[in-house]
């Protein structure tokens, strides 16, 4: 009993608010829509994230150089002062070259294949009922985050994915972590390995660079203006890496470029070869927006909350009937807010 209670307390839940028509479509298709990030309600999202990163360029370069010295000292088991002198005789400066290359691809690479689905950590929130609910009855879907598809599921289908809390006040620390924990140690390891040189060194460092670039993309996709902080958004991001062309390498599919020997790729049933087909919908503004269809496991939905409604009993009856017809085992409840439209 105590173990089950502990597990329940440690489960993480996220919530998705939608209209009656939206809920019906989600349940019947067992999928959510990941909208192209350029069409989100905060039109500056991706651009703002990139601009914030570019503003940190000078401070991050200085930070990377300092950390490079520390990592090198640790690798050689030397005092920092001794390591700084020893570095002058090594090819360690190449790590800074690849850091510069990282900035180049951030500035030049078009980020037009980023798709996101928004959740929130706020259950039964009046702010969300007012913002995302309809004038009639609206619904809040409770997802068990641990039961949603993992990164492996998407990689097997040649996409990259990420789940992140939205960052409304991005700091240097966010990028410091990426550079210190992922980028510099890996590049330095290759450079200091006497068995790795020439084209092999170039290829390994290029792969490290594109991987850290992908991490930056997911961080960029989770940055939002502080004015939206009340949303407490949790975001799923789907990214199609496409082809890459680094240094003197020809353009090649991302999953052919990296070491994909451990990934059991699946064949797509769609003619286009895409597991998450690209479709289009019309926004309230009349703009046509691209999105990708992203399936979810049926058991990831644990509860559906009916929002403020004049016909709550009828809404519950209709929803339970729909759930039964689709073989969902889901709790149906009603909002505890006292809001009503007058």
């Amino acid at each position: 009993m105590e173990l089950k209670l502990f597990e329940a307390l440690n489960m993480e839940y996220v919530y998705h608010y939608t209209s009656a028509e939206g809920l019906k479509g989600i349940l019947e298709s067992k999928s959510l829509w990941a909208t192209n990030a350029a069409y989100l309600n905060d039109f500056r999202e991706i651009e703002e994230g990139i601009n914030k990163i570019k503003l940190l360029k000078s401070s991050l370069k200085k930070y990377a150089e300092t950390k490079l010295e520390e990592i090198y000292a640790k690798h050689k088991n030397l005092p920092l002062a001794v390591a700084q002198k020893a570095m002058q005789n090594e090819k360690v400066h190449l790590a800074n070259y690849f850091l510069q290359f990282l900035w180049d691809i951030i500035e030049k690479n078009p980020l037009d294949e980023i798709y996101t689905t928004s959740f929130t950590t706020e259950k039964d929130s009046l702010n969300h009922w007012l913002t995302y609910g309809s004038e009639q009855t609206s619904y809040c879907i409770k997802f068990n985050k641990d039961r949603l598809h993992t990164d492996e599921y998407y990689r097997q289908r040649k996409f990259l994915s990420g789940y992140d809390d939205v960052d409304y006040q991005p700091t240097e620390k966010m990028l410091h972590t990426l550079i210190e924990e992922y980028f510099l140690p890996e590049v330095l390891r290759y450079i200091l390995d006497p068995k790795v040189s020439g084209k092999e060194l170039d290829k390994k460092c290029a792969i490290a660079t594109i991987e850290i670039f992908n991490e930056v993309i997911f961080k960029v996709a989770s940055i939002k203006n502080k004015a939206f902080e009340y949303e407490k958004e949790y975001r799923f991001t789907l990214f199609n890496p496409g082809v890459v062309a680094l240094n003197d390498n020809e353009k090649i599919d991302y999953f052919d470029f990296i070491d994909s020997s451990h990934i059991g790729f699946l064949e797509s049933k769609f003619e286009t070869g895409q597991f998450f087909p690209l479709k289009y919908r019309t926004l309230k503004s009349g703009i046509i927006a691209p999105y990708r269809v992203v399936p979810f496991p049926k058991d990831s939905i644990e509860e559906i909350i009916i929002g403020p409604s004049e016909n709550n009993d009828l809404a519950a009856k209709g929803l339970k009937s729909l759930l039964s017809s689709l073989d969902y085992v889901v709790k149906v409840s009603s909002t505890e807010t006292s809001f009503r439209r007058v």
Side-chain angles (χ1 to χ4, degrees), residues 106-122:
I106 286 176
E107 292 179 350
K108 297 175 182 177
N109 204 63
L111 302 180
D112 53 6
E113 280 298 311
I114 301 174
Y115 299 84
T116 69
T117 298
S118 294
F119 301 90
T120 177
T121 56
E122 289 286 280

Side-chain angles (χ1 to χ4, degrees), residues 144-339:
N144 184 325
K145 187 164 69 70
D146 293 334
R147 293 178 185 166
L148 292 172
H149 291 305
T150 63
D151 182 59
E152 180 183 8
Y153 173 89
Y154 296 100
R155 282 183 175 263
Q156 288 178 332
R157 293 156 176 80
K158 295 195 173 183
F159 275 77
L160 302 179
S161 67
Y163 289 95
D164 276 300
D165 290 306
V166 166
D167 193 341
Y168 301 97
Q169 293 180 301
T171 63
E172 290 175 298
K173 184 178 179 181
M174 179 181 76
L175 290 174
H176 286 176
T177 300
L178 288 175
I179 290 173
E180 180 181 351
E181 294 185 5
Y182 297 97
F183 182 73
L184 292 180
E186 187 168 0
V187 170
L188 190 61
R189 178 162 57 88
Y190 297 142
I191 291 172
L192 297 179
D193 186 345
K195 298 178 182 178
V196 180
S197 61
K199 290 185 177 181
E200 185 182 2
L201 173 62
D202 184 67
K203 176 75 177 290
K204 285 182 177 293
C205 289
I207 290 173
T209 304
I210 197 67
E211 292 288 32
I212 193 65
F213 172 61
N214 290 338
E215 291 295 330
V216 169
I217 286 175
F218 287 111
K219 290 301 179 185
V220 166
S222 66
I223 295 174
K224 197 167 185 176
N225 189 284
K226 194 175 184 299
F228 294 87
E229 191 169 8
Y230 73 92
E231 294 180 336
K232 294 185 179 179
E233 185 177 345
Y234 184 85
R235 183 171 290 180
F236 166 75
T237 303
L238 186 69
F239 174 56
N240 182 5
V243 297
V244 295
L246 299 180
N247 305 322
D248 296 326
N249 297 298
E250 296 180 0
K251 287 187 177 181
I252 187 172
D253 183 89
Y254 167 79
F255 288 100
D256 292 329
F257 185 73
I258 65 170
D259 179 10
S260 300
S261 58
H262 62 290
I263 303 175
F265 292 117
L266 302 176
E267 292 294 329
S268 174
K269 64 181 179 181
F270 299 104
E271 291 182 5
T272 59
Q274 300 286 8
F275 275 92
F276 313 107
L278 184 62
K279 295 191 175 184
Y280 297 86
R281 64 189 180 99
T282 304
L283 303 179
K284 292 179 181 178
S285 61
I287 292 173
I288 298 172
Y291 70 93
R292 290 192 181 275
V293 179
V294 182
F296 59 80
K298 286 177 68 174
D299 66 353
S300 62
I301 296 181
E302 292 196 5
E303 181 181 2
I304 298 176
I305 305 165
I306 302 171
S309 173
E310 296 179 3
N311 302 293
N312 190 276
D313 291 340
L314 197 59
K317 182 178 179 180
L319 175 55
K320 289 177 180 178
S321 178
L322 175 62
L323 289 169
S324 177
S325 71
L326 298 172
D327 295 322
Y328 281 90
V329 180
V330 173
K331 177 183 176 183
V332 174
S333 62
S334 297
T335 179
E336 294 183 4
T337 66
S338 57
F339 174 78

Side-chain angles (χ1 to χ4, degrees), residues 92-107:
V92 177
H93 65 279
L94 287 175
N96 285 326
Y97 166 77
F98 283 101
L99 185 63
Q100 180 59 48
F101 188 81
L102 174 63
W103 290 117
D104 289 342
I105 60 176
I106 286 176
E107 292 179 350

